[in-house]
Amino acid sequence: MYLKNNIRRLLVYRQCLLKLKELGFEVIYSYNLGREASVSPEQVRKDFSKFGIKGKRKAGYEIDHLLEALDIIFKKDKDQNVILVGMGNIGKALSNYKGFAQHKIVICAAFDIDPSKQTKSYKIPVYPVEDISRIVKMYHVKIAIIAVPKPAAQEVCNRLIASGIQGIINFSPTNLKHPKNIFINNIDLANEMESLIYFTLNQ
Amino acid sequence: MYLKNNIRRLLVYRQCLLKLKELGFEVIYSYNLGREASVSPEQVRKDFSKFGIKGKRKAGYEIDHLLEALDIIFKKDKDQNVILVGMGNIGKALSNYKGFAQHKIVICAAFDIDPSKQTKSYKIPVYPVEDISRIVKMYHVKIAIIAVPKPAAQEVCNRLIASGIQGIINFSPTNLKHPKNIFINNIDLANEMESLIYFTLNQ
DNA sequence: TACATTTTGTTACTATTTTCACAATAAATT
DNA sequence: AATTTATTGTGAAAATAGTAACAAAATGTA
């Protein structure tokens, strides 16, 4: 697993900090943030410490300072262009998802094999899959989302990698074969449900 | 993190085994399955061993036997009813998602505050949020999906828990406050993208 | 039947992650 | 200014997870 937990926790802290800032807080203690993020205060301090983020003893952490530090870690100085392949159920939902904008994640183009979906009527222009390479190069895209049906996923993955994509988030419920310098984050919705069910029903 | 990796890996093995079975395999070695699931063979054996699943030395594992064992672990003897709250972008996509059926996960009802969405015209009947408690009790539902906008998520969460829901998969990008006997699996799509971007761009 | 080969199952080892404990220090109080 | 209090930062300990090594067992072969 390359998706280390401390990175994921930093992202959770970020969400919490934005919320707390909105509520008017300027300074926060590891204890408060931990409570908000469902994490122990020691864990919060360790996570920050690991990335050289400093607070002040007795005075906690300045929220703005934390957010700046997190912005640097997650390179939030500029928009991150990503592409989306597959405009079915999930693809459409992702193309409309408002949460990305706040993170400066921009889906700059989508792709589908179905010509009826290759239109400018969606928020995002939808191109034929053959255009992937051209668009990837044009916008210097490094990250792609796979939201195609299972049988098409591996082929799309190969095409993406051949076009220069380096990181893929895969919503197709299949394990993609890929060179090990490519990062893949699999989100299998049914498996996410299953693991929740497992832990819920086994107390 | 309660979502232990070995459980998640078992679910990945399951996907792989179904695929391999479809391809005509009847028996598999830890080496093959590991390759398919991007996991070391030792890890595969350890995972099975931990759950008392046995192979035969020199003869590997029978796929059907593995699938049966996994079905028992994940209680696949009967359908698992779940409810869905929020028929926006993501809610609609989930309500149409075909992957659940193969896992015997059935979204038996959906809920939304918007009366225009409270209709039988979707695949799944959509009720007003006030009906959650009634339906949860009627169908003995234990698991719910939250797919409402961030500001509504905590309130919906509270209502679900009050209605008897024990496990929640939360697509809303916020950390929900909850008693510790309730399981919550947060899927924050923007954070999933962010962590992928982080690992991709930091070699 | 004896021997070689292959693959599991498990134990021992290593690495990583989390928790604990507490010294260091900043702020508040007397 | 001295003392108390609160909170960080970190090193040590504990827990968890993953890797490696190898004996045990099943199969095949001479």
Side-chain angles (χ1 to χ4, degrees):
Chain A
M1 278 281 252
Y2 61 86
L3 295 164
K4 305 247 180 71
N5 291 340
N6 60 337
I7 291 296
R8 312 198 83 135
R9 279 194 305 267
L10 289 182
L11 291 163
V12 174
Y13 301 156
R14 191 159 183 273
Q15 298 277 25
C16 295
L17 289 165
L18 290 168
K19 177 176 161 189
L20 291 162
K21 188 181 175 176
E22 214 164 282
L23 290 170
F25 289 89
E26 292 183 353
V27 162
I28 200 160
Y29 304 126
S30 60
Y31 180 77
N32 311 130
L33 183 54
R35 169 113 81 164
E36 195 61 31
S38 307
V39 161
S40 76
E42 297 85 353
Q43 184 79 84
V44 171
R45 298 203 297 274
K46 260 278 160 79
D47 286 334
F48 286 152
S49 165
K50 190 161 192 170
F51 285 85
I53 300 174
K54 300 278 178 188
K56 254 191 186 162
R57 285 166 211 247
K58 179 104 197 219
Y61 299 87
E62 252 187 89
I63 290 184
D64 280 335
H65 174 243
L66 288 176
L67 286 171
E68 277 165 34
L70 291 170
D71 278 355
I72 291 168
I73 292 170
F74 293 109
K75 309 218 167 50
K76 295 288 97 188
D77 54 323
K78 57 171 194 286
D79 283 357
Q80 184 64 241
N81 279 335
V82 310
I83 57 165
L84 164 63
V85 190
M87 279 298 269
N89 269 327
I90 294 176
K92 259 182 268 173
L94 293 171
S95 74
N96 287 314
Y97 188 60
K98 284 159 203 81
F100 292 146
Q102 294 151 20
H103 286 251
K104 298 203 179 189
I105 293 167
V106 176
I107 302 178
C108 65
F111 302 87
D112 203 290
I113 35 160
D114 180 351
S116 74
K117 287 180 181 154
Q118 292 156 14
T119 157
K120 264 85 192 173
S121 68
Y122 295 119
K123 279 191 188 168
I124 296 157
V126 182
Y127 302 94
V129 178
E130 290 70 30
D131 293 0
I132 287 178
S133 182
R134 188 172 60 80
I135 303 280
V136 165
K137 275 151 197 159
M138 188 190 298
Y139 293 107
H140 303 98
V141 185
K142 299 274 181 295
I143 307 289
I145 303 169
I146 293 183
V148 301
K150 186 154 55 170
Q154 184 64 59
E155 196 195 319
V156 166
C157 173
N158 298 346
R159 188 188 280 272
L160 288 168
I161 293 170
S163 305
I165 287 292
Q166 292 167 14
I168 294 171
I169 191 157
N170 173 35
F171 285 91
S172 174
T174 184
N175 202 280
L176 300 167
K177 297 281 179 356
H178 63 280
K180 58 185 167 310
N181 61 321
I182 305 293
F183 284 98
I184 300 203
N185 182 2
N186 291 300
I187 300 185
D188 183 325
L189 295 171
N191 279 358
E192 293 294 338
M193 289 295 299
E194 290 270 31
S195 68
L196 173 69
I197 293 169
Y198 178 86
F199 287 105
T200 301
L201 302 189
N202 297 271
Q203 35 94 27
Chain B
M1 274 285 248
Y2 60 86
L3 295 165
K4 305 247 180 69
N5 291 341
N6 59 339
I7 291 294
R8 312 199 82 135
R9 280 194 303 266
L10 289 183
L11 290 163
V12 173
Y13 300 156
R14 192 160 182 272
Q15 298 277 27
C16 295
L17 289 166
L18 290 168
K19 177 175 162 190
L20 291 161
K21 187 181 175 177
E22 212 165 283
L23 289 171
F25 289 89
E26 294 182 353
V27 162
I28 200 161
Y29 303 126
S30 59
Y31 181 78
N32 311 131
L33 182 54
R35 168 113 84 167
E36 195 61 32
S38 308
V39 161
S40 76
E42 297 85 353
Q43 183 79 84
V44 171
R45 299 203 295 274
K46 251 283 161 88
D47 286 334
F48 286 152
S49 166
K50 190 160 192 170
F51 286 85
I53 300 174
K54 301 278 178 188
K56 254 191 186 161
R57 285 163 210 250
K58 179 108 196 216
Y61 300 86
E62 252 186 89
I63 290 184
D64 280 334
H65 174 241
L66 289 175
L67 287 171
E68 277 165 34
L70 291 170
D71 279 355
I72 291 167
I73 293 170
F74 293 110
K75 308 217 166 50
K76 296 288 98 190
D77 53 323
K78 58 172 192 288
D79 283 358
Q80 184 63 244
N81 278 336
V82 309
I83 57 166
L84 165 62
V85 189
M87 279 300 269
N89 268 329
I90 293 176
K92 259 181 270 175
L94 293 172
S95 74
N96 288 314
Y97 188 60
K98 286 161 200 78
F100 292 147
Q102 293 151 19
H103 287 251
K104 299 204 179 187
I105 293 166
V106 176
I107 302 178
C108 63
F111 301 88
D112 203 290
I113 35 161
D114 181 352
S116 74
K117 285 179 181 155
Q118 292 156 13
T119 158
K120 264 84 192 173
S121 68
Y122 294 120
K123 278 189 188 169
I124 296 159
V126 182
Y127 301 95
V129 178
E130 290 71 29
D131 293 359
I132 287 178
S133 183
R134 188 173 60 81
I135 303 281
V136 164
K137 276 153 196 159
M138 189 191 298
Y139 292 107
H140 303 99
V141 185
K142 299 275 180 292
I143 306 290
I145 304 169
I146 293 183
V148 300
K150 186 156 51 170
Q154 185 63 60
E155 197 196 319
V156 165
C157 174
N158 297 345
R159 187 188 279 273
L160 289 168
I161 293 170
S163 305
I165 287 293
Q166 292 168 13
I168 294 171
I169 190 157
N170 173 35
F171 285 92
S172 173
T174 184
N175 202 279
L176 299 167
K177 298 282 178 357
H178 63 281
K180 58 184 167 314
N181 61 320
I182 305 293
F183 285 97
I184 301 202
N185 182 2
N186 292 300
I187 300 185
D188 183 325
L189 296 171
N191 278 359
E192 292 294 337
M193 290 295 299
E194 291 269 31
S195 68
L196 173 69
I197 292 169
Y198 178 86
F199 287 105
T200 302
L201 302 188
N202 298 271
Q203 38 94 25

